[in-house]
Amino acid sequence: MSAIKLPDFKASLKNMYARTYADHFNQITRLYYGDLTPPIDNPSNLIREQYQQPEAMSLQQHQLNTEVSLPWGIKSDVMFTINKIKQQILDEKKNAL
């Protein structure tokens, strides 16, 4: 963080970066139409699969804050921010249940 401070004026510039990780699990159930006679171990012909989707999210932020003191007790605050957000699926794994 860098800043300028005068009696009636303040300005600061901040740069921030954060990265978070999360695991998401999705489950899908579908009917198998390949053979009309159900197998012995799966009489309902339903197939369940589970997907694991690890995800990473990164946030980069640049922020400029200014504060100006004007006569008559008037104070002005201004903030300008640029955000860059990126989401990424790292590796998708599929498991049959």
Side-chain angles (χ1 to χ4, degrees), residues 4-38:
I4 297 173
K5 187 174 182 181
L6 300 172
D8 294 334
F9 179 78
K10 294 179 190 174
S12 65
L13 179 64
K14 299 176 186 175
N15 294 313
M16 294 175 266
Y17 180 77
R19 188 165 172 97
T20 58
Y21 297 95
D23 274 338
H24 298 285
F25 292 94
N26 298 326
Q27 184 171 319
I28 185 170
T29 303
R30 60 188 166 111
L31 184 61
Y32 178 68
Y33 292 105
D35 190 2
L36 295 178
T37 59

Side-chain angles (χ1 to χ4, degrees), residues 14-22 55-62 82-88:
K14 299 176 186 175
N15 294 313
M16 294 175 266
Y17 180 77
R19 188 165 172 97
T20 58
Y21 297 95
E55 179 182 84
M57 184 180 78
S58 60
L59 167 69
Q60 187 174 14
Q61 185 179 69
H62 306 288
I82 298 174
N83 293 325
K84 182 180 176 185
I85 299 172
K86 182 180 177 184
Q87 289 183 316
Q88 180 183 16

Side-chain angles (χ1 to χ4, degrees), residues 1-2 13 16 18 21 29 32 41 47 76 81 92-93 96:
M1 181 173 112
S2 59
L13 179 64
M16 294 175 266
Y21 297 95
T29 303
Y32 178 68
D41 59 343
I47 297 173
S76 173
T81 305
E92 184 177 57
K93 298 175 184 174

Side-chain angles (χ1 to χ4, degrees), residues 32-86:
Y32 178 68
Y33 292 105
D35 190 2
L36 295 178
T37 59
I40 296 172
D41 59 343
N42 189 2
S44 63
N45 260 2
L46 292 176
I47 297 173
R48 288 191 177 95
E49 294 176 342
Q50 187 177 40
Y51 295 89
Q52 179 184 7
Q53 294 177 325
E55 179 182 84
M57 184 180 78
S58 60
L59 167 69
Q60 187 174 14
Q61 185 179 69
H62 306 288
Q63 188 177 72
L64 174 65
N65 296 323
T66 61
E67 180 181 309
V68 179
S69 297
L70 301 171
W72 309 288
I74 298 173
K75 185 177 175 182
S76 173
D77 292 325
V78 177
M79 180 175 68
F80 179 71
T81 305
I82 298 174
N83 293 325
K84 182 180 176 185
I85 299 172
K86 182 180 177 184

